Amino acid sequence: MKITFPDGKISEFPQNSTGYDVALSISEGLARNSAAVKVNGTLQDLTAPITTDSEISIITLKDSEGLDVLRHSAAHVMALAVKRLYPESKLAFGPATEDGFFYDFDDLHLTDADIPAIEEEVKKIVKEKVEFQRIVVSRSQALEIFKDEPYKIERINDLPEDEIITYYKSGDLIDLCRGPHLQNSGAIKAFKVMRLAGAYWKGDSNNKMLQRIYGTAFSDKKDLKDYLEMRERAEANDHNKLGRELDLFVTDKRVGKGLPLLTPRGSTLKRTLIRFVEDEELSRGYEYTTTPFMANKELYQVSGHWDLYKDGMFILGDKESQDDKEEVLSLRPMTCPHQYIVYNRRPHTYKELPVRYAETSTLFRNEASGSMHGLIRIRQFTLSEGHIMCRPDQIEEEFEAVLDLINYFMKTLDLKDYSYRFSKWDPNNTDKYINNPEAWEHSQSVLKKILDKSGMPYTEAEGEAAFYGPKLDIQMKNVWGKEDTVITVQLDYALADRFDMKYIDANGEEKRPVIIHRSSIGCYERTMALLIEQYGGKFPFWLAPDQIRILTINDSCHPAAEALKVKLSRVGLRADVDSRSETLKKKVRTAQMMKIPVILTIGESEVANDTVSVRTLDGTVVQDVKVDDFINKCLIFDRNRDLEISFK
RNA sequence: GCCUUCUUAGCUCAGUGGUAGAGCAACGCACUUGUAAUGCGUAGGUCAUCAGUUCAACUCUGAUAGAAGGCUCCA
């Protein structure tokens, strides 16, 4: 049979040669480092015979697909180790993930103290070079083989009728699995259990919680070491840690869970962002509203939020009360209905659309106690919220303008590591959505057309839409690798009807506006968290809570330093003076540790000449800068929101 | 809400069934400093809270609260 290689070369091999044979024919090193083989685009075991003319490529342990195979195999090896140590445990599911793998077990109750024993057992299995044998079985045979593994049985029963059922045997472990796998466990040179966690069977909180073991594996020890060091560096930027070290926020259990308090520095950061966003939005045709932090439950009954989300709302009064006369209020979980009421205060003509309302709105959501996280998931937060009421023919242009605004913010903040997600409804879970399939079909196709036209790469996610419409979500990852939505733009054909919103068209007829719900910079707290992590605390000059720290050489310079501080404050720059009787080295160090972008030093010669010595965070020092020149440069950096500054 | 782990001074962390320690920060004194830690001294803690075991609990057990990671949820 003919084997075609990725470079186009064609070689003749005997019928039923394996991927391993093919690799070996090229070099022994390749065979040794191969993880799997891709035959006509399908990944399969190296040991599987190839039966017909095929295009093949050898996947090595260093390829990302090969690393996935290795990690998936490592998950099996770990399962074998767990089964050896805890024979009563039950297997659930164990795939490779982006940076490792996990395996879920039932009837397993490990604590951290048990991890070393598992790692030892895995080492043994790696040394044993346990083979992975792929075996094809009938459904009835599979049900018999896995009769003691209830989760595998459930899975077999979930498989489509025509699915070929395979399992892998590695030592004493028999695991229902599609593969492919390594030839044997010997290639798993580096293995580590990362952490224990809980996870619901099939990801459904109505199901039993299983024990999940997260681990990672590499084909050599250095890769593992590099990975762990990379994790360590990333976690050093954890906003939850840095944010407190840099004196941006605190928490206190007497205030409550998910209720961080911003310090003066944190507050300055937030205010700077808010002013930036509000000014930019005003310049782009938004009008700002100020609406109440709470509303009667009737408002949310009309919008539909009450039925779906009342458990997640902070309610004042008895939410179960059937008495219509009893006043029941809710702290607002979003501002949409408030702004609709503002829109409805008077009639609108087609000529005045689009109406763009924005608000820096404080919102309250009763998040589940276990889901709160630093500044990222909190119970009171501030959203750069907005709603655009427009005609159907304006949707595209308005949506594009929103994207342009968002891109401007992302670019100004130098955020690059984000992705787009097209969030759609789930037709099989209609309880969560306004159940009008034709409307969903329409709104999703409109949004899809806009996204495709923009050329932006996006992933599609079923079941992630808002209950009233599809969304474009901008997703970012925190230092732990967990993805969150930072910004969302939603297309809503539904709520205008519920609130009886209208405009008069050119023919004098009443029409429903289409509503675009949008955030521009997201939730300020969450965005701040991601900024802290992305910058590692080193904010650009315009955003830094303290922009300039003035250091004095000796006490006689203090009056000049204080006078300079006042001068800087008057022009809107944020400066303070370190007048401690410490050495200059010490004061420089303190300022650098606080990541203050500009450090000024004043001694006798500076006072005499009306100059400053300017040090930037990178350690560069520029001497004898005229105070006025310094101020002018700072004002330009501040106004331009420059990411890099220099006083040379 | 569920799973694992954690909670000792403002911060970072030691520590042991016999009553608590360091570094940094703070404060005081001396030093008056030229670009990443001057020296000496002082003060600071019912060891998260509550209950139990014990002659004795910061240490062991349980509950509660809060925190970290994961799962679920996320308008």
Side-chain angles (χ1 to χ4, degrees), chain A residues 267-285:
Chain A
S267 202
T268 299
L269 176 59
K270 183 176 169 187
R271 183 178 59 253
T272 306
L273 282 171
I274 289 175
R275 287 178 175 172
F276 168 47
V277 170
E278 291 186 348
D279 287 348
E280 186 61 32
E281 291 184 351
L282 286 166
S283 81
R284 292 186 186 224

Side-chain angles (χ1 to χ4, degrees), chain A residues 356-564:
Chain A
R356 306 184 192 94
Y357 288 153
E359 182 160 336
T360 302
S361 53
T362 303
L363 304 178
F364 308 82
R365 294 183 187 178
N366 193 1
E367 302 287 359
S369 61
S371 67
M372 252 89 70
H373 170 63
L375 293 179
I376 288 181
R377 274 295 281 283
I378 52 182
R379 283 179 165 158
Q380 180 189 315
F381 55 96
T382 316
L383 189 66
S384 62
E385 199 165 4
H387 298 89
I388 298 166
M389 278 60 71
C390 64
R391 306 187 306 257
D393 63 289
Q394 294 171 319
I395 294 171
E396 199 169 317
E397 193 182 341
E398 285 304 306
F399 207 98
E400 282 166 4
V402 169
L403 292 179
D404 187 64
L405 176 64
I406 291 170
N407 287 334
Y408 172 69
F409 286 151
M410 298 303 265
K411 191 160 172 261
T412 305
L413 293 169
D414 197 32
L415 295 176
K416 300 185 186 91
D417 208 4
Y418 55 90
S419 60
Y420 297 101
R421 185 178 78 180
F422 175 25
S423 297
K424 308 197 289 187
W425 82 313
D426 177 0
N428 300 316
N429 190 1
T430 50
D431 293 351
K432 274 179 71 181
Y433 305 96
I434 289 176
N435 189 9
N436 184 343
E438 298 86 62
W440 281 100
E441 193 80 13
H442 177 65
S443 57
Q444 289 183 173
S445 71
V446 169
L447 184 50
K448 186 169 168 39
K449 199 179 130 216
I450 294 170
L451 299 183
D452 288 339
K453 188 186 163 207
S454 77
M456 60 172 66
Y458 61 87
T459 58
E460 298 193 18
E462 199 163 87
E464 294 289 345
F467 75 86
Y468 44 74
K471 309 192 283 180
L472 170 68
D473 294 319
I474 293 177
Q475 304 290 111
M476 283 188 74
K477 284 180 187 168
N478 70 5
V479 291
W480 300 98
K482 181 169 175 135
E483 189 177 273
D484 264 305
T485 300
V486 244
I487 295 168
T488 174
V489 188
Q490 308 164 359
L491 198 53
D492 173 9
Y493 284 87
L495 293 187
D497 194 49
R498 295 196 171 207
F499 281 89
D500 194 27
M501 297 161 76
K502 38 192 136 160
Y503 66 90
I504 310 297
D505 76 3
N507 301 318
E509 287 169 24
E510 288 186 344
K511 291 281 165 63
R512 296 278 180 229
V514 178
I515 303 169
I516 298 171
H517 301 234
R518 46 107 273 179
S519 179
S520 55
I521 205 176
C523 154
Y524 286 95
E525 291 80 2
R526 181 176 288 183
T527 300
M528 279 164 57
L530 292 165
L531 288 175
I532 293 167
E533 297 189 351
Q534 298 278 323
Y535 295 139
K538 288 184 196 157
F539 292 102
F541 184 75
W542 71 278
L543 260 184
D546 287 323
Q547 297 177 300
I548 301 160
R549 172 149 303 170
I550 306 165
L551 311 182
T552 49
I553 297 294
N554 58 48
D555 289 350
S556 69
C557 308
H558 287 160
E562 290 295 339
L564 179 58

